[in-house]
Amino acid sequence: MTITRIELLRHGLPEGDDCFRGHTDFLITEEGIKQMHDAVSGSNGFDLVMTSPLKRCSDFAYQHAAKYSTPVIEVPGFMELNFGDWDGRQRNEIWENNSKALSLFWSEPWNTTPPNGESLEEFDSRIQKAWSSTIDNHKGKSILLVTHGGVIKQIIRMILDMPKSEVYLQRINIPYAAKLTITIYHDDNGKIWPELHWPKSLF
């Protein structure tokens, strides 16, 4: 049996806190970089670092990879949700100007899309494709995947086979620099069994 290990690392504290940080390319703060270094302290056995191209992820990914001479791959499929007209704007501002649409998005995210943004179905689909490609092309590797809170929630949804009607966007807390481990077991017939390891910091 072949085993693939993927460490999911959310970026640390970025600029633009309390915003809809989707595709807007906010920089990571010095505190955020430190949070991420602390999260992976002692983890130097990765064969590959994969990262969202957005700077709040990729800046750290390249730093960590350079330290251990590890190759880096940028994967656009692991970017955060595109919030369209809300992207990069303060949540309070959106609430004051469009509370009805924002309330619907929080309560019925699978049926509500931010204006000119990406639907949750589209988001889920591109993450599934990126995830499947990662597993298929890097079987047996130990991978650090630096990405976003929303992406990690979608991966958890897939691993746990959660229904798309579930409002887990609000129910699952992924703190800055949170790190989760997913172990994937491959049998000789091409079947896989993913196993999710929750860190104590999430409880």
Side-chain angles (χ1 to χ4, degrees):
M1 181 173 286
T2 304
I3 298 175
T4 303
R5 180 174 64 91
I6 302 177
E7 301 274 355
L8 302 175
L9 176 66
R10 186 190 178 191
H11 60 76
L13 176 68
E15 295 180 352
D17 201 24
D18 202 31
C19 289
F20 282 98
R21 286 186 310 273
H23 284 197
T24 304
D25 206 3
F26 288 106
L27 297 176
I28 189 76
T29 63
E30 290 186 11
E31 180 183 350
I33 285 283
K34 182 180 184 303
Q35 290 171 333
M36 298 171 83
H37 279 298
D38 289 345
V40 299
S41 177
S43 301
N44 59 355
F46 298 110
D47 301 306
L48 177 67
V49 175
M50 304 183 77
T51 183
S52 158
L54 296 173
K55 291 182 181 299
R56 57 189 184 270
C57 295
S58 63
D59 282 359
F60 169 80
Y62 280 101
Q63 282 187 27
H64 183 80
K67 184 176 180 180
Y68 298 104
S69 300
T70 308
V72 180
I73 299 177
E74 293 188 11
V75 184
F78 289 129
M79 291 172 66
E80 184 59 279
L81 178 73
N82 181 356
F83 289 100
D85 294 349
W86 298 350
D87 217 295
R89 295 169 61 187
Q90 292 284 327
R91 296 169 193 262
N92 288 341
E93 176 194 353
I94 303 302
W95 180 256
E96 289 172 3
N97 293 289
N98 202 349
S99 60
K100 183 177 180 180
L102 183 55
S103 182
L104 279 172
F105 179 68
W106 289 135
S107 61
E108 300 180 32
W110 289 95
N111 299 317
T112 310
T113 302
N116 297 310
E118 183 178 25
S119 73
L120 214 55
E121 286 284 359
E122 293 169 329
F123 184 49
D124 188 69
S125 177
R126 71 167 163 87
I127 292 170
Q128 287 194 48
K129 290 177 182 176
W131 183 253
S132 296
S133 177
T134 298
I135 294 170
D136 291 343
N137 295 327
H138 306 288
K139 181 179 177 182
K141 301 293 186 181
S142 178
I143 301 166
L144 175 64
L145 172 54
V146 187
T147 186
H148 308 268
V151 174
I152 293 173
K153 291 178 183 181
Q154 295 300 112
I155 293 173
I156 291 172
R157 188 203 73 76
M158 292 187 293
I159 297 298
L160 299 183
D161 198 23
M162 296 169 66
K164 292 184 178 181
S165 59
E166 191 73 26
V167 192
Y168 53 84
L169 287 173
Q170 292 87 323
R171 294 175 181 170
I172 299 175
N173 178 38
I174 308 292
Y176 289 133
K179 184 166 70 71
L180 294 79
T181 302
I182 296 178
T183 304
I184 300 167
Y185 301 93
H186 309 254
D187 72 7
D188 295 336
N189 298 315
K191 293 183 179 180
I192 64 170
W193 288 269
E195 183 177 82
L196 176 61
H197 305 266
W198 294 88
K200 292 180 180 179
S201 61
L202 295 188
F203 294 93

